[in-house]
Amino acid sequence: MPEIDLFDKPANAWCTHCVEGAGCSIYADRPSVCRDFLCLWMVDETLGDEWEPARAHMMIYRQGPQMTVLVEVDHPDIWRSEPYHTQLRQWAREAERSGGYVIVFWRDDVFKI
């Protein structure tokens, strides 16, 4: 989970506006820092329900040539399990062809796939 300075939200912590099972409590009035964030699951119709962040325990987004995977603190190895690991490796192979890469963050650990 990313750091959000506007809310004094550190990385790897839930936002105070997140309501379990309901989502963002200020979604309609969320600030631009939140509006501008594009979770890959929300914008890529090819991703199945297994990639929904609450189910996958990961959030994925693209930033230039980099695909970033943020893994929830309580699920350090979820990205190594299926169906995720095979898909992440495939994305890494595809990204590499154009100079891109896939990087996984869990706490302070960083893994390049």
Side-chain angles (χ1 to χ4, degrees):
M1 293 178 275
E3 178 179 337
I4 304 173
D5 292 335
L6 180 67
F7 297 131
D8 293 323
K9 184 195 123 7
N12 302 317
W14 287 102
C15 177
T16 57
H17 300 288
C18 182
V19 177
E20 188 174 348
C24 179
S25 64
I26 62 167
Y27 189 80
D29 299 314
R30 68 195 184 283
S32 63
V33 68
C34 299
R35 287 181 188 278
D36 295 342
F37 179 80
L38 299 175
C39 172
L40 197 58
W41 183 77
M42 301 267 310
V43 298
D44 186 337
E45 294 178 3
T46 67
L47 293 182
D49 290 341
E50 69 275 10
W51 286 98
E52 193 270 326
R55 182 181 293 178
H57 304 288
M58 295 178 277
M59 186 179 350
I60 303 169
Y61 63 94
R62 288 202 167 121
Q63 193 172 26
Q66 176 177 316
M67 177 180 283
T68 301
V69 180
L70 304 175
V71 179
E72 286 183 15
V73 173
D74 295 338
H75 300 273
D77 295 317
I78 192 79
W79 66 278
R80 291 182 170 118
S81 67
E82 294 303 334
Y84 310 113
H85 196 246
T86 296
Q87 183 63 64
L88 291 168
R89 286 189 1 235
Q90 177 64 33
W91 285 333
R93 283 190 297 274
E94 291 169 4
E96 191 172 35
R97 291 184 211 132
S98 60
Y101 51 95
V102 175
I103 195 156
V104 176
F105 290 90
W106 177 76
R107 292 190 179 219
D108 292 331
D109 295 340
V110 181
F111 307 92
K112 183 178 179 187
I113 297 178

